């Protein structure tokens, strides 16, 4: 899910002309436009695959078909690691086929969305994976993401990973365990999930990569959501010849380690949360889901894919978020 890359995606998508409002074959969006409930058939898929639904060319969510091989391998490993580790918690994906995969009228933009909710007794809320491929006047844009959300029965952090490629010579990485409590008011929370886990060492490793710069969202609200150990970087390689090596050998191990920390220390952590605190966590989580997507996607995706498909996909997202 694209949640933190607002200034990058806005600058890219601003160059794309708006499609006609009558477009019926567009796609890829997330949530926050005015919610339109559209009747659709629920499709239950086998839990043996993250998303077996295929497009007309046989591509599935788990294939990540438009990115380089190192990028694809990293995404496949992250997704399968989460699914294997949480296999007893996760339910099959029930998104409609035209939400699991979608494309725009001209075939210049394609997307895939996979959401797996968890059983009622699990501390896991849902796992969300997606990929987006767009042909823009400035080149191709590829975004792959994996997010994991927890229920208010625990206050442990969520997981967020996003890798953005808008040219062969540059990338943006967003990787964090997003906090769910005020780190000033709750120093033990800071110590448990960020100091004791030594997450800042992973951030330091990434910043040692040549041509790495800090990446800043244009939204101050978004900046306030991430943790002190968040990895938000832009990496430039003028020739592009080392970029895939960087993804495979530098970013891959860091992403896997941060995911390991989340799975071991957060996903199924035994945390005592009272009823009043649960209500606050639920409210906070809901506000962040709505606000981050509203800031980034509310205008960009309808312009790229058209109102009809935007409403369909955003509606499916909102239905999951409101459950």
């Amino acid at each position: 899910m694209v949640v933190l890359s607002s200034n990058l995606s806005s600058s890219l998508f601003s160059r794309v002309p708006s499609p006609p409002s009558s477009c019926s074959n567009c796609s890829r969006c997330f949530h926050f436009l005015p919610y339109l409930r559209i009747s659709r058939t629920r499709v239950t898929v086998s839990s043996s695959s993250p998303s077996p639904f295929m497009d007309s060319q046989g591509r599935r969510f788990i294939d990540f078909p438009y990115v380089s091989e190192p990028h694809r391998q990293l995404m496949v490993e992250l997704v399968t690691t989460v699914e294997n580790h949480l296999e007893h918690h996760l339910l099959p994906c029930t998104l409609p086929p035209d939400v699991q995969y979608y494309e725009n009228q001209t075939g210049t933009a394609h997307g895939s969305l996979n959401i797996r909710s968890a059983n009622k007794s699990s501390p896991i809320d849902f796992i969300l994976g997606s990929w987006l491929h767009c042909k823009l006047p400035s080149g191709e844009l590829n975004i792959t993401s994996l997010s994991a959300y927890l229920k208010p029965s625990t206050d442990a952090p969520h997981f967020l990973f996003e890798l953005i490629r808008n040219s062969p010579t540059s990338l943006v990485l967003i990787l964090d365990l997003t906090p769910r409590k005020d780190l000033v008011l709750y120093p033990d929370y800071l110590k448990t999930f960020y100091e004791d886990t030594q997450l800042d060492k992973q951030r330091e490793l990434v910043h040692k990569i040549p041509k790495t710069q800090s990446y800043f969202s244009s939204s101050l609200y978004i900046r306030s959501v991430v943790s002190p150990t968040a990895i938000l970087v832009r990496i430039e390689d003028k020739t592009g010849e080392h970029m895939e090596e960087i993804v495979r050998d530098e970013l891959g191990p860091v992403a896997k380690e941060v995911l390991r920390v989340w799975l071991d220390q957060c996903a199924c952590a035994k945390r005592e949360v009272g009823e009043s605190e649960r209500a606050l966590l639920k409210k906070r989580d809901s506000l962040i889901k709505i606000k981050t997507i509203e800031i980034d996607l509310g205008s960009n995706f309808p312009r790229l894919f058209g109102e009809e498909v935007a409403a369909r996909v955003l509606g499916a997202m909102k239905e999951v978020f409101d459950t």
Side-chain angles (χ1 to χ4, degrees), residues 27-58:
S27 39
R28 184 134 252 290
C29 254
F30 293 146
H31 140 290
F32 199 75
L33 280 174
Y35 176 49
L36 300 178
R37 182 173 294 277
I38 299 175
S39 63
R40 55 186 175 269
T41 303
R42 280 289 182 184
V43 178
T44 302
V45 299
S46 169
S47 60
S48 63
S49 171
S51 177
F53 176 74
M54 298 181 182
D55 70 355
S56 60
Q57 298 185 38

Side-chain angles (χ1 to χ4, degrees), residues 11 23 26 33 76 97 120 123 163 169 185 196 231 240 273 278-279:
S11 64
C23 171
C26 308
L33 280 174
V76 170
K120 290 184 178 181
L163 188 56
T169 61
L185 293 177
D196 292 350
I231 300 171
V273 180
R278 289 189 185 198

Side-chain angles (χ1 to χ4, degrees), residues 52-288:
F53 176 74
M54 298 181 182
D55 70 355
S56 60
Q57 298 185 38
R59 292 171 296 212
R60 304 170 300 163
F61 158 72
I62 197 64
D63 291 334
F64 297 98
Y66 294 99
V67 297
S68 67
E69 185 60 20
H71 188 161
R72 188 193 72 81
Q73 288 180 351
L74 173 58
M75 290 308 303
V76 170
E77 187 163 353
L78 293 177
V79 171
T80 54
T81 297
V82 169
E83 297 229 342
N84 290 339
H85 194 94
L86 302 176
E87 63 176 333
H88 299 301
H89 296 260
L90 298 177
L91 302 173
C93 177
T94 57
L95 293 174
D98 58 2
V99 173
Q100 290 189 46
Y101 175 83
Y102 40 95
E103 62 184 39
N104 69 0
Q105 191 176 31
T106 59
T108 58
H110 307 260
S112 182
L113 177 64
N114 183 72
I115 301 177
R116 294 186 64 182
S117 298
N119 57 57
K120 290 184 178 181
S121 62
S122 172
I124 310 299
D125 192 357
F126 59 86
I127 307 298
L128 187 156
S130 69
W131 56 256
L132 169 67
H133 170 77
C134 296
K135 294 180 180 178
L136 303 176
S138 58
E140 291 189 352
L141 172 68
N142 286 291
I143 303 176
T144 59
S145 64
L146 177 65
S147 304
Y149 290 84
L150 298 173
K151 292 175 181 173
S153 57
T154 176
D155 61 3
H158 300 313
F159 174 80
L160 171 65
F161 174 90
E162 188 166 289
L163 188 56
I164 305 165
R165 301 291 302 274
N166 66 322
S167 83
T169 61
S170 69
L171 63 80
V172 170
L173 172 67
I174 299 167
L175 176 60
D176 193 27
L177 303 189
T178 52
R180 300 168 70 204
K181 299 182 75 169
D182 189 308
L183 301 182
V184 175
L185 293 177
Y186 299 93
D188 288 347
Y189 190 93
L190 176 68
K191 184 176 188 300
T192 297
F193 293 113
Y194 301 100
E195 292 181 5
D196 292 350
T197 54
Q198 300 185 345
L199 284 176
D200 208 42
K201 287 187 176 180
Q202 302 304 315
R203 185 191 62 80
E204 291 171 354
L205 285 174
V206 172
H207 277 272
K208 290 178 180 178
I209 301 172
K211 306 297 182 182
T212 296
Q213 309 170 36
S214 295
Y215 172 76
F216 298 100
S217 169
S218 60
S219 167
L220 295 179
Y221 183 91
I222 296 297
R223 294 189 214 174
S224 71
V225 171
V226 298
S227 78
T229 62
I231 300 171
L232 295 93
V233 297
R234 182 193 297 270
I235 300 176
E236 303 281 351
D237 178 14
K238 288 185 178 180
T239 64
E241 59 184 66
H242 301 297
M243 195 58 74
E244 306 314 326
E245 183 180 314
I246 289 172
V247 172
R248 183 185 64 242
D249 299 335
E250 307 284 354
L251 303 184
V254 168
K256 294 170 194 176
E257 175 59 17
V258 174
L259 177 59
R260 184 198 64 78
V261 170
W262 184 81
L263 289 170
D264 291 350
Q265 305 298 325
C266 305
C268 298
K270 300 288 185 180
R271 304 280 297 178
E272 295 295 329
V273 180
E275 287 300 320
S276 61
E277 188 176 0
R278 289 189 185 198
L280 288 174
L281 285 167
K282 183 176 181 179
K283 181 178 180 181
R284 186 180 190 278
D285 287 346
S286 179
L287 286 172
I288 289 175

